[in-house]
Structure formats: C-alpha cells, structure tokens
C-alpha cells in the first residue's frame, strides 16, 4: 500500500510540473504546428469562409508575390500547414454540411468540418463513417490531404470512401474532381498535403452504424501476423481492429494485445447509439501516462495496468461511431523543452515480426524514449500517387518523447533514420505527415512515384503558389 501511495505522490508532482509549462500566449503571426519545432513568421492567417473570399486571398497572394499554405487543425508535425512569409488559410470555419442523402449513404461537407461534425450529423440516421483516424478531431480536408487510415480493416485508406471533391486551383478555377472528372488530380490531391489547391468540399460514402462486441486477445509479436491472417482477416464479422505492443522494459516489444470489434446482430442499435460526449478518467490516465513518459518502471506500471483494463472490456458492446471517437486527451503534452511526436511505419504483414525485432535492437542502441506503439491494418491501395499502402500493411504508430533542443533533435534524427533504414530493408514505407527526420534518399526509396508527384506539381502550379515545408524539404533539386 505504501508503494502505491508513493507512486501516486510522485505522479502528482510530475503532473504539476506538466502544468507549469502550459501554452503561453503567442504572437498571432508566429506559426508552428503540433511538432513545435519550426516556428516562423508568416504574413498573416486568413479564415476561410466563402468561395469568393478564398479566391480573393489567392489573388492577393499572386499580386504580392506571396505563397499560400493551407491549415486545418494543424496536427501534422512537419510544417505541412505553413511556410515562412506565407498567407496561411485556416479552413476550420469552412465547415457546413451541404448535402446529405440517407438512402444513398452519402454526405457532401465543407473541408473545414471535423469528423465529429460528420458523426454528429449522420448518427441520428443510423449511419457512420467508413474510414477516418481513431480520433474525430481532424478536419475532412486535412484527412484527405494525408490520405488518413484508421481501425477499419475492410474499407482501406480514406481515398476509398471519397466519391469526389471540389478544388480551388492556383489558376483560380474551381474543379470537380473524381475518378471520372479531372481524374488526374484525384490521386494527387488525396495524400498531396495541400500542394495542388484548396479542397472546398468533399462527397463521402458512408456505411451503417453497427453494434460491435469487443473481443480482446493477449499474444506475442512473433505470432501476430499469423493470428491476424488466420483469425481476424478471415472473419467477416470483425470490422474494426487495433493492437498495442508493450514498450515496458520488462516486455519490450514482445508482448501485445489485440482488440477486435465483432459485429453483433443480436443487439439492437436503437437505444444504444447515443454518442459519447466526454472522455472519462482523464486526470488519472494523464498521471499514469506521465510516469510512462518519465520512468522505465512507469512504463512497466502502465503496461501491467493496461492489460487487465482492456481484458475487462471483453464482451462489452460499442457502436461504430463511438469506436471511432477514441479517447486521447490524457496524452496531450505541452512541456517546455520537449514534446511527444509521432512516427509511423507501414510494413507488409509477413515482415511484421522481423521488423519489430530490428526496431527493438535499434531503439536499445539509440536510446529513444518510445511511449506507445499501436498497430492498425491497411489494405493494399496505390490509388494515391504518394501511397503508403504498397502491400497489405500493418501500420505501427509510434509515439516518442523527444527534446526540442538542436543537440537533442540531432540525436533523435539519427535514431529515426536508423529505424527507417530497417523499414526500407523490410519493404516498408512510412507516413509523411510527421517531422521531416527522413533523409531525401529514404523518402525517395519509400515513395518511388515521387518524381511524378513533383512533376505534376510543376504542371498544375508552375508559379509555386501553394507551398509548405514538406514541399521544400523533399522536392529535391
């Protein structure tokens, strides 16, 4: 008992230290993103509201020889939403539902709306989103720009549920873009990081909201690929799936548990479909996660508490919409001098165990502070020009705590590049919305269609109106 009291007191001290460095008021024209690594002055931030107003912003930029960057919730971490001296177009106010067809299961919605807005709108009609991130806080346009994926193992990357969108281009045209109309732009803009124009609105195909029963399995890394292929993928009633790998020193990258969302037709949706509105247990979870961030034994404590917590959910029910409103507030972090940053690696299913063995070896040498690692499945899909799903892939979403100093960042960069060398050796790719640690040669190895992407950028935007740091970091000479 005394041990747990001491742990709780230590956690409280860490928690108070966390709040000591909460966000400070900042110059409204000094812009950064969730990574907090590259703050720069921009010319201004313009809220997107109407089409004519957006056209006026583009004309102003052309007249003044400025560039345009496009921002939503700014959760990308590598400067994808801004550039020095640019005009940042903030699309979060551009968020209305324009059309909805319950029978055809379609919604047309402006690009600045969030997935929460979609869920709130369609839930009363018994409908749900096909593919989105595990959290619903991101904008639709931002998710298209990164070609998001999530827990759904049947519908692939987000591009598969996009029917069409309208695009405001560098030459002031508004184009309808689909697989049949201006089709060349479809795979360039989705996963194109805002470099081909401003996405105005999107027509998405929806699916039914459903009742799922949770099935939780404990397993190890070595058996996961076989488990997924033989048990999960072959069961048509498993619609969503997520797994988590231990980062605890006692079981470092060896133990796992998986959560399967199994369709349950015996439980009526009506009466169970109220949307979750708040996250529970945030303070305690934040305390425990801060121990996980700070101490090796804290990682052991968190893992040993997580496993029974999730196992207790065995056999409980949840709707599809609520399963896609994952809790994450407890992981928010704003400490001065350090930050939690994401890196994500995509590995062919058959390469999973071998890569995790290599990842373990690299992390032990490089001494990177890995806080969390979850696994999702993404179907093979190369419709996007910069596609990460070059095979049926497991996505390993890795959260690191990193120093923000130059010296600290240099060490992190070296470690991440060592990880990426192993990713490429295992025929994998990595996700582009995050900090630009990868070398240019690693980017080109993971995305062999890069040359076509940047050639098309020159074709559609020869004067480089739309610019961000991702473009400048990886366009090459």
């Amino acid at each position: 008992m005394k041990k747990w009291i001491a742990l709780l007191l230590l956690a409280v001290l860490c928690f108070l230290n966390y709040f000591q460095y909460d966000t400070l008021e900042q110059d409204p024209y000094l812009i950064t993103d969730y990574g907090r690594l590259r703050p720069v002055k921009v010319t201004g931030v313009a809220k997107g509201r109407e089409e004519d107003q957006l056209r006026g912003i583009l004309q102003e930029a052309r007249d003044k020889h400025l560039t345009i960057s496009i921002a939503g919730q700014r959760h990308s971490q590598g400067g994808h939403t801004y550039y020095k001296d640019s005009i940042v177009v903030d699309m979060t106010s551009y968020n209305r539902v324009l059309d909805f067809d319950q029978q055809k299961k379609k919604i047309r919605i402006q690009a600045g709306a969030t997935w929460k807005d979609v869920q709130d709108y369609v839930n009363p009609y018994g409908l749900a989103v096909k593919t989105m991130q595990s959290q619903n806080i991101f904008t639709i346009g931002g998710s298209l720009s990164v070609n998001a994926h999530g827990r759904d193992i049947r519908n692939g990357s987000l591009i598969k549920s996009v029917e069409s969108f309208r695009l405001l281009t560098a030459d002031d045209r508004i184009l309808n873009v689909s697989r049949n109309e201006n089709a060349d732009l479809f795979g360039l803009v989705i996963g194109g990081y805002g470099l081909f124009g401003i996405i105005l609105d999107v027509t998405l195909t929806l699916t039914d909201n459903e009742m799922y029963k949770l099935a939780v399995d404990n397993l190890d890394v070595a058996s996961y690929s076989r488990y997924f292929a033989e048990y999960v993928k072959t069961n048509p009633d498993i619609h969503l799936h997520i797994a988590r790998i231990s980062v605890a020193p006692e079981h470092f990258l060896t133990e796992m548990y998986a959560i399967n969302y199994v369709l349950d037709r015996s439980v009526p949706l009506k009466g169970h479909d109220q949307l979750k509105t708040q996250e529970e247990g945030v303070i305690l979870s934040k305390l425990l996660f801060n121990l996980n961030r700070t101490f090796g034994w804290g990682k052991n404590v968190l893992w040993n508490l997580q496993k029974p917590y999730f196992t207790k959910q065995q056999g409980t029910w949840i709707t599809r919409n609520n399963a896609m409103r994952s809790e994450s507030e407890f992981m928010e972090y704003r400490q001065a001098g350090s930050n939690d940053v994401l890196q994500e690696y995509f590995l062919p299913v058959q390469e999973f165990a071998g890569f995790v063995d290599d990842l373990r070896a690299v992390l032990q040498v490089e001494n990177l502070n890995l806080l969390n690692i979850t696994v999702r499945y993404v179907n093979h899909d190369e419709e996007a020009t910069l596609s990460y799903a070059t095979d049926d892939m497991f996505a390993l979403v890795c959260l690191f705590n990193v120093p923000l100093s130059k010296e600290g960042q240099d060490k992190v960069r070296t470690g991440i590049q060592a990880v990426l060398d192993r990713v490429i050796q295992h025929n994998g790719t990595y996700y582009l919305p995050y900090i630009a640690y990868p070398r240019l040669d690693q980017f080109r190895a993971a995305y062999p269609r890069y040359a076509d992407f940047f050639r098309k950028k020159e074709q559609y935007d020869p004067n480089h109106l739309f610019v961000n740091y991702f473009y400048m970091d990886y366009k090459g000479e």
Side-chain angles (χ1 to χ4, degrees), residues 46-51 53-54 90-91 93-94 96 110:
K47 287 273 190 182
R49 291 187 174 85
E50 302 292 340
E51 288 179 11
Q53 175 240 4
L54 288 169
D90 181 341
M91 293 293 288
S93 297
Y94 203 82
R96 291 185 293 115
Q110 290 181 326

Side-chain angles (χ1 to χ4, degrees), residues 2 38 47 96 119 149 220 281 363 390 406 410 446:
K2 290 181 179 179
R38 194 183 264 173
K47 287 273 190 182
R96 291 185 293 115
Q119 290 177 322
H149 66 93
D220 56 49
L363 294 181
T390 54
K406 183 182 183 307
D410 288 344

Side-chain angles (χ1 to χ4, degrees), residues 168-219:
L168 175 57
T169 64
D171 58 2
D172 213 32
R173 293 181 295 164
I174 293 180
L175 301 179
N176 294 312
V177 181
S178 69
R179 292 174 178 85
N180 300 313
E181 192 174 5
N182 297 301
D184 188 40
L185 281 164
F186 193 79
L188 291 167
V189 174
I190 301 179
Y193 297 90
L195 293 174
F196 290 86
I198 299 177
I199 299 170
L200 297 175
D201 51 72
V202 183
T203 300
L204 297 166
T205 57
L206 304 167
T207 191
D208 292 327
N209 197 14
E210 301 168 323
M211 288 299 301
Y212 299 133
K213 180 180 283 189
L214 296 186
V216 183
D217 291 312
N218 294 309
L219 60 155

Side-chain angles (χ1 to χ4, degrees), residues 33-315:
D33 56 22
Y34 206 78
R36 291 197 285 138
L37 279 172
R38 194 183 264 173
V40 297
K41 289 278 188 177
V42 297
T43 296
V45 178
K47 287 273 190 182
R49 291 187 174 85
E50 302 292 340
E51 288 179 11
D52 287 344
Q53 175 240 4
L54 288 169
R55 278 178 150 152
I57 294 169
L58 266 58
Q59 186 59 52
E60 178 185 358
R62 285 189 291 264
D63 291 344
K64 296 180 178 178
H65 305 289
L66 299 171
T67 60
I68 293 285
S69 298
I70 308 161
Q73 295 291 346
R74 293 195 304 194
H75 270 261
S76 58
Q77 300 179 6
H80 302 73
T81 56
Y82 63 98
Y83 189 66
K84 61 182 180 181
D85 301 325
S86 67
I87 297 176
V88 174
V89 180
D90 181 341
M91 293 293 288
T92 54
S93 297
Y94 203 82
N95 56 13
R96 291 185 293 115
V97 173
L98 301 176
D99 192 28
F100 172 66
D101 191 320
Q102 182 182 3
Q103 298 304 315
K104 293 183 178 179
K105 300 179 183 178
K106 293 181 184 179
I107 189 169
R108 180 173 162 237
I109 190 166
Q110 290 181 326
T114 65
W115 293 105
K116 179 183 183 301
D117 295 328
V118 177
Q119 290 177 322
D120 289 348
Y121 194 94
V122 306
N123 189 71
Y125 300 93
L127 296 175
V129 176
K130 283 184 178 179
T131 301
M132 55 178 274
Q133 299 96 316
S134 291
Q135 288 82 37
N136 64 1
I137 61 175
F138 308 105
T139 63
I140 310 300
S143 295
L144 257 70
S145 294
V146 304
N147 191 20
H149 66 93
R151 301 186 184 196
D152 188 289
I153 64 172
R154 307 296 173 186
N155 289 301
S157 308
L158 177 57
I159 193 170
K160 286 301 183 188
S161 57
V162 178
E163 182 174 280
S164 63
F165 55 89
R166 292 193 312 139
L167 184 74
L168 175 57
T169 64
D171 58 2
D172 213 32
R173 293 181 295 164
I174 293 180
L175 301 179
N176 294 312
V177 181
S178 69
R179 292 174 178 85
N180 300 313
E181 192 174 5
N182 297 301
D184 188 40
L185 281 164
F186 193 79
L188 291 167
V189 174
I190 301 179
Y193 297 90
L195 293 174
F196 290 86
I198 299 177
I199 299 170
L200 297 175
D201 51 72
V202 183
T203 300
L204 297 166
T205 57
L206 304 167
T207 191
D208 292 327
N209 197 14
E210 301 168 323
M211 288 299 301
Y212 299 133
K213 180 180 283 189
L214 296 186
V216 183
D217 291 312
N218 294 309
L219 60 155
D220 56 49
V221 165
S223 61
Y224 179 64
S225 291
R226 182 176 177 182
Y227 160 85
F228 185 87
E230 295 181 0
Y231 175 74
V232 179
K233 192 74 184 296
T234 57
N235 184 346
D237 286 339
I238 297 178
H239 290 188
L240 307 179
H241 171 88
I242 190 169
R244 194 177 304 275
I245 305 175
S246 172
V247 300
E250 292 176 354
H251 313 285
F252 188 58
L253 302 191
T254 56
E255 288 191 351
M256 300 181 64
Y257 63 82
I259 303 175
N260 295 305
Y261 298 75
V262 187
L263 181 64
D264 191 336
R265 299 176 180 86
S266 69
V267 180
L269 181 67
K270 189 173 182 180
H272 297 88
D273 58 348
Q274 184 174 352
L275 291 173
K276 292 191 297 186
T277 57
Q278 64 182 32
E279 191 170 328
E280 298 177 356
V282 173
I283 293 178
L284 179 58
S285 297
K286 195 182 285 287
L287 288 170
L288 290 170
F289 202 77
N290 206 38
L291 288 177
N292 173 68
R293 187 180 285 118
T294 310
F295 305 104
W297 58 261
K299 291 177 170 61
N300 290 328
V301 168
L302 185 60
W303 180 252
N304 290 330
L305 290 173
Q306 276 182 327
K307 286 201 299 181
Y309 170 77
F310 284 103
T311 301
K312 284 181 182 178
Q313 296 187 39
Q314 185 85 257

Side-chain angles (χ1 to χ4, degrees), residues 278-382:
Q278 64 182 32
E279 191 170 328
E280 298 177 356
V282 173
I283 293 178
L284 179 58
S285 297
K286 195 182 285 287
L287 288 170
L288 290 170
F289 202 77
N290 206 38
L291 288 177
N292 173 68
R293 187 180 285 118
T294 310
F295 305 104
W297 58 261
K299 291 177 170 61
N300 290 328
V301 168
L302 185 60
W303 180 252
N304 290 330
L305 290 173
Q306 276 182 327
K307 286 201 299 181
Y309 170 77
F310 284 103
T311 301
K312 284 181 182 178
Q313 296 187 39
Q314 185 85 257
T316 59
W317 288 276
I318 191 171
T319 67
R320 182 182 182 93
N321 277 329
N322 279 328
M324 289 179 162
R325 294 166 82 89
S326 179
E327 300 173 351
S328 61
E329 186 180 342
F330 73 92
M331 298 173 70
E332 291 183 2
Y333 184 71
R334 297 181 294 274
Q335 185 87 3
S338 64
N339 199 11
D340 293 348
V341 302
L342 288 166
Q343 295 286 293
E344 185 169 349
Y345 311 114
F346 299 90
L347 280 303
V349 169
Q350 66 275 12
E351 298 283 347
F352 174 79
F355 169 73
V356 174
D357 285 344
D358 284 352
L359 176 63
R360 184 187 312 112
V362 171
L363 294 181
Q364 288 171 339
V365 171
E366 299 295 339
N367 198 30
L368 297 174
N369 187 9
L370 179 60
L371 305 179
N372 190 57
I373 180 167
T374 57
V375 183
R376 294 161 177 80
Y377 172 78
V378 186
N379 310 81
H380 181 204
D381 179 4
E382 298 189 63

